[in-house]
Amino acid sequence: MTTVSLPDDIFWMRRALALAERVLYSTAPNPRVGCVIVRDGQVLGEGATQPPGGPHAEICALRDAQARQAAVAGATMYVTLEPCSHFGRTPPCVDAVLAARPARVVVAIGDPNPLVNGQGLARLREAGIAVTTGVCAEEALAINAGFISRMSRGLPWVWMKMAASLDGRSALHNGMSQWITGAEARADGHHWRARSCVVLTGMGTVLKDDPQLNVRGVDTPRQPRKAVVDGRLSIPEDARLFDGGEVIIFTARDDAAKAARLADQNARVVVLPGPVPDRVDLQAMMRWFAQEQFNEVHVEAGAGLSGALVSAGCVDELLLYVAPVLLGDAAGMVRLPMLEHLDAAQRYEFIDTALLGADVRLRARVAQTWRELMQRVALSAPN
Amino acid sequence: MTTVSLPDDIFWMRRALALAERVLYSTAPNPRVGCVIVRDGQVLGEGATQPPGGPHAEICALRDAQARQAAVAGATMYVTLEPCSHFGRTPPCVDAVLAARPARVVVAIGDPNPLVNGQGLARLREAGIAVTTGVCAEEALAINAGFISRMSRGLPWVWMKMAASLDGRSALHNGMSQWITGAEARADGHHWRARSCVVLTGMGTVLKDDPQLNVRGVDTPRQPRKAVVDGRLSIPEDARLFDGGEVIIFTARDDAAKAARLADQNARVVVLPGPVPDRVDLQAMMRWFAQEQFNEVHVEAGAGLSGALVSAGCVDELLLYVAPVLLGDAAGMVRLPMLEHLDAAQRYEFIDTALLGADVRLRARVAQTWRELMQRVALSAPN
């Protein structure tokens, strides 16, 4: 196993990652994968995972090479995720790769799916194919953090979208909040909704803003599901988010009559009571999402649910849009218990900063969780 | 006048700007200026403004060329600020430039100093020297925003340094605030103190933190002055900020006895009462700074004075260090009156973002003030 990434490998893997980025909205619950087949600095074929039931990236790239009448034998294949070695909705990609006889396969990260988990790479090595792993691993994990998280720890990857002023205020004292950030920041927020499997909010937001919670202004073949944390099962049956698409209502109250009425709105009621009366068990909710094959959860809620999710350790990443304005005495972003010492606060690590129109986007994630996932995708490939 | 900046011009002007950056801490109250003399892509000489009383950048660069035995006649001079045309502590730079007979002089911005204000450039043109202006004007203004602000509007350039959590909290409810941001962010803060003419704080901070307010960990030949807004003239005479360097105490109370005792600590008391009893007139304070040749004011204060300065329109730029942590119920950054509508909030424009260790630095400024200064430095050079 080569541990040094050659510049060429990085170049071609980035192209494969760019292909994976193009299918960001359409592969769930499958991972987004890109594949490029190269010989002597020339692309022979390339492709990315098609929607569920369709071919995976490796197959698309091999078919592309075939269409171009390019022989893959002896070439190098770049894949952003370890090729699958099991029958799912499609046959194992590893079989197709073996049949094409490339000289070398370069993989960004291993697949912790227990049905794959290094077996794909082992079979390639057994057949005498050189295998390099770990090229652009951080970028590859970032594209599929949800899938990897679900496979390796039984939880989705959860990001929380917030918009606030420079001094951390998300609404005026009178509740006015709609336009703190500008059009570019709001459009970027819809991109994040679009890539998620579900958009989650709380009852406070439903009652205050009556949001649609759908993706608007993004060219996407699918809408994410919608979910509401509604401890008392008190959601109005005419809320705007009921638009025909499936809605999941998490509640602590077992109310069959209301659940039946909500079913008419295509809403599925999931009863997950926590230890506090009328409060949903948020950690159980996240496990439920993973069991139901939700990879990524996009949270867009008020200070109450946002704070509760942070306190329950359910938030992996923050997506914070900061408007260049000072609001002073106004509503805060997250309601958290009073801290006596800074050490007790939830710490994140910044991932990136971006200027979006007049606003800045800050992304930060829980460093420890990220490191654990990085270990899982590195170790699943045997040395 | 050429209005198109050639790539070569930008390249050399950036070098001149880099020279000006090197004297960021040492030229006040004079502007930081860099100068590069170039012929056929070769540097003949270069230099930057020396401490007050010493030679300006143009003279340094001409002397450097002389030391290298390079003839400047027919060459191009790049200067980050219009050469002075008046006798100050040193003779006019324009005379030296004329004597050296360059073929062309490229200037980033004009000098709105009424003693210069285009006259330097006019004399160069009269002598048949080609003059280009406006190359890298934004960067050049950024290096000398304080000097330009003082010359053109009789006010210093004021930035306010703040450190806060992602949710805009600068201290826990129990007052704990010392270590929200990390070592790199604090070191960067000292760089900003070092370039300022004065570090300004309020009595709340003096009583709570007893800060030294000096520059530490930065290689600087001078310390900025220190200033405290102390409406009731109640500062303890043993405060740590009294370290022998000059301290300015702005107050609303005329208390000769206390002022005399403070004079023993090298503190100068300036009485500037505002319309509210025991409150200093903050706008008058800023005008006072400019009259006393303070170019840049570094504010590092608590939520009370910070909010009052923002409300009084005294803050031109925000320097906000954001730690990747959520604190929830804790102290806010700025105390501002309650707003009924977002339109009433003070708006800024982001200048840049930087990752400093684990923290992010956000810089934002008042767009309107910046545009006005840009107009002043552009228009001071006649067409």
Side-chain angles (χ1 to χ4, degrees):
Chain A
M1 178 174 158
T2 316
T3 53
V4 177
S5 299
L6 302 171
D8 259 14
D9 282 353
I10 292 173
F11 178 86
W12 293 114
M13 188 59 83
R14 290 217 172 122
R15 181 163 175 141
L17 288 165
L19 291 166
E21 286 268 6
R22 284 203 218 155
V23 294
L24 213 48
Y25 307 147
S26 58
T27 70
N30 292 335
R32 304 102 177 186
V33 183
C35 177
V36 181
I37 307 170
V38 177
R39 186 186 352 244
D40 301 333
Q42 299 293 318
V43 174
L44 305 183
E46 58 187 8
T49 314
Q50 295 306 295
H56 293 181
E58 300 90 327
I59 308 303
C60 293
L62 288 168
R63 288 183 189 166
D64 183 37
Q66 202 167 31
R68 302 188 199 195
Q69 301 187 305
V72 171
T76 300
M77 274 185 96
Y78 293 89
V79 200
T80 60
L81 181 71
E82 177 183 2
C84 68
S85 55
H86 64 295
F87 277 89
R89 272 164 290 212
T90 62
C93 291
V94 152
D95 292 353
V97 174
L98 286 170
R101 288 178 295 118
R104 186 166 169 251
V105 172
V106 182
V107 168
I109 55 174
D111 183 347
N113 183 342
L115 297 171
V116 184
N117 200 14
Q119 295 173 53
L121 297 184
R123 286 191 56 204
L124 295 178
R125 286 197 182 89
E126 283 160 21
I129 296 173
V131 174
T132 302
T133 63
V135 176
C136 302
E138 290 264 351
E139 296 94 313
L141 177 55
I143 288 180
N144 284 310
F147 175 80
I148 301 295
S149 171
R150 174 161 72 86
M151 286 298 159
S152 63
R153 57 171 192 156
L155 288 170
W157 183 261
V158 180
W159 61 74
M160 196 161 83
K161 185 240 171 190
M162 298 178 285
S165 65
L166 276 167
D167 53 338
R169 308 303 178 144
S170 57
L172 298 188
H173 70 98
N174 59 16
M176 198 172 289
S177 69
Q178 208 80 69
W179 306 108
I180 286 186
T181 51
E184 291 88 344
R186 292 197 303 273
D188 188 75
H190 277 272
H191 156 88
W192 287 91
R193 279 188 182 182
R195 70 173 278 177
S196 77
C197 292
V198 59
V199 177
L200 176 71
T201 196
M203 267 304 289
T205 300
V206 170
L207 294 178
K208 187 166 76 70
D209 300 338
D210 196 13
Q212 296 176 261
L213 287 193
N214 57 357
V215 178
R216 298 185 295 277
V218 176
D219 184 21
T220 175
R222 65 173 251 293
Q223 285 282 337
R225 244 81 63 88
K226 306 175 186 183
V228 183
V229 175
D230 177 12
R232 295 187 176 82
L233 202 56
S234 59
I235 191 166
E237 286 149 52
D238 61 351
R240 290 211 301 166
L241 60 87
F242 297 117
D243 63 0
E246 190 186 344
V247 179
I248 304 148
I249 314 280
F250 295 98
T251 186
R253 289 204 187 170
D254 204 346
D255 178 343
K258 174 104 184 200
R261 288 198 305 277
L262 287 169
D264 291 341
Q265 299 279 31
N266 200 16
R268 179 175 172 190
V269 174
V270 179
V271 184
L272 292 174
V276 181
D278 286 339
R279 291 289 190 87
V280 170
D281 183 334
L282 299 175
Q283 291 166 330
M285 176 178 75
M286 292 305 174
R287 289 192 297 272
W288 185 94
F289 275 130
Q291 280 155 15
E292 297 280 322
Q293 299 202 308
F294 289 78
N295 292 335
E296 298 174 341
V297 177
H298 173 107
V299 179
E300 204 166 326
L305 179 57
S306 294
L309 287 165
V310 167
S311 295
C314 291
V315 176
D316 301 304
E317 186 174 326
L318 303 175
L319 183 65
L320 171 59
Y321 299 89
V322 183
V325 66
L326 291 173
L327 294 182
D329 195 354
M333 284 161 54
V334 282
R335 205 170 300 136
L336 291 171
M338 257 189 200
L339 295 176
E340 296 304 322
H341 200 278
L342 283 169
D343 292 346
Q346 177 62 61
R347 284 221 154 247
Y348 303 83
E349 65 174 3
F350 282 113
I351 310 169
D352 75 11
T353 66
L355 198 60
L356 294 167
D359 306 309
V360 160
R361 186 189 71 195
L362 300 176
R363 289 176 60 210
R365 65 189 170 209
V366 179
Q368 179 60 22
T369 308
W370 183 259
R371 273 195 297 274
E372 283 165 14
L373 294 188
M374 276 299 289
Q375 280 166 4
R376 291 301 306 267
V377 294
L379 293 175
S380 65
N383 279 295
Chain B
M1 179 175 155
T2 315
T3 53
V4 177
S5 299
L6 302 170
D8 259 12
D9 281 352
I10 292 172
F11 178 85
W12 293 113
M13 189 58 83
R14 291 220 171 121
R15 181 163 176 144
L17 288 165
L19 291 167
E21 286 268 6
R22 285 202 216 154
V23 294
L24 213 48
Y25 307 148
S26 58
T27 70
N30 293 334
R32 303 104 176 182
V33 182
C35 177
V36 182
I37 307 169
V38 177
R39 186 186 352 244
D40 299 334
Q42 300 293 317
V43 174
L44 305 184
E46 58 188 8
T49 314
Q50 296 306 296
H56 293 181
E58 300 89 327
I59 307 303
C60 294
L62 289 168
R63 287 184 189 167
D64 183 37
Q66 200 168 29
R68 303 189 199 193
Q69 301 188 304
V72 172
T76 299
M77 274 185 96
Y78 293 89
V79 200
T80 60
L81 181 70
E82 176 184 2
C84 68
S85 53
H86 64 296
F87 276 90
R89 273 164 290 211
T90 61
C93 291
V94 151
D95 292 354
V97 172
L98 287 170
R101 288 178 295 121
R104 185 166 170 250
V105 173
V106 182
V107 168
I109 54 174
D111 184 346
N113 182 341
L115 297 171
V116 184
N117 201 15
Q119 296 173 50
L121 298 183
R123 288 192 53 204
L124 296 177
R125 286 196 182 91
E126 283 160 21
I129 296 172
V131 174
T132 301
T133 63
V135 176
C136 302
E138 290 263 352
E139 298 94 313
L141 177 56
I143 289 181
N144 285 310
F147 175 80
I148 301 295
S149 171
R150 174 161 72 86
M151 286 297 156
S152 63
R153 55 171 193 158
L155 288 170
W157 183 261
V158 180
W159 62 75
M160 196 161 84
K161 184 240 171 189
M162 298 179 286
S165 65
L166 276 166
D167 52 338
R169 307 304 177 141
S170 57
L172 298 188
H173 69 98
N174 59 17
M176 197 172 288
S177 68
Q178 207 80 69
W179 306 108
I180 286 185
T181 51
E184 290 89 344
R186 291 197 303 275
D188 189 73
H190 277 273
H191 156 89
W192 288 90
R193 279 189 182 182
R195 69 173 281 177
S196 77
C197 293
V198 60
V199 177
L200 176 72
T201 196
M203 269 303 290
T205 300
V206 170
L207 294 177
K208 187 165 76 70
D209 300 337
D210 196 12
Q212 297 176 261
L213 288 195
N214 56 357
V215 178
R216 298 184 295 277
V218 176
D219 186 19
T220 175
R222 65 173 250 292
Q223 286 283 336
R225 243 80 63 87
K226 305 175 185 182
V228 182
V229 175
D230 178 12
R232 295 186 176 83
L233 202 58
S234 59
I235 192 166
E237 285 149 54
D238 60 352
R240 290 210 300 166
L241 60 87
F242 296 118
D243 63 0
E246 189 186 346
V247 179
I248 304 148
I249 314 280
F250 295 97
T251 187
R253 288 203 188 172
D254 205 345
D255 178 343
K258 174 105 185 199
R261 289 197 305 277
L262 287 169
D264 291 341
Q265 299 280 30
N266 200 16
R268 180 176 172 188
V269 174
V270 178
V271 184
L272 292 175
V276 180
D278 287 339
R279 291 291 189 88
V280 170
D281 182 335
L282 299 175
Q283 292 166 329
M285 177 179 73
M286 292 304 173
R287 289 192 298 271
W288 186 93
F289 276 130
Q291 279 154 16
E292 297 280 322
Q293 299 202 307
F294 289 79
N295 292 335
E296 298 174 342
V297 178
H298 173 106
V299 179
E300 203 166 324
L305 179 57
S306 296
L309 286 166
V310 166
S311 295
C314 291
V315 176
D316 301 304
E317 185 173 325
L318 303 175
L319 183 65
L320 170 59
Y321 298 90
V322 183
V325 66
L326 291 173
L327 294 182
D329 195 353
M333 284 160 53
V334 282
R335 205 169 301 135
L336 291 172
M338 257 190 199
L339 296 177
E340 296 303 322
H341 201 276
L342 284 169
D343 292 346
Q346 177 61 61
R347 284 222 153 244
Y348 303 84
E349 65 175 3
F350 282 113
I351 309 169
D352 76 11
T353 67
L355 198 60
L356 294 167
D359 307 308
V360 160
R361 186 190 71 197
L362 299 177
R363 289 175 61 210
R365 67 191 168 207
V366 179
Q368 179 60 23
T369 308
W370 183 260
R371 272 195 298 272
E372 283 164 15
L373 294 188
M374 277 298 290
Q375 281 166 1
R376 288 303 305 268
V377 295
L379 293 176
S380 65
N383 279 297

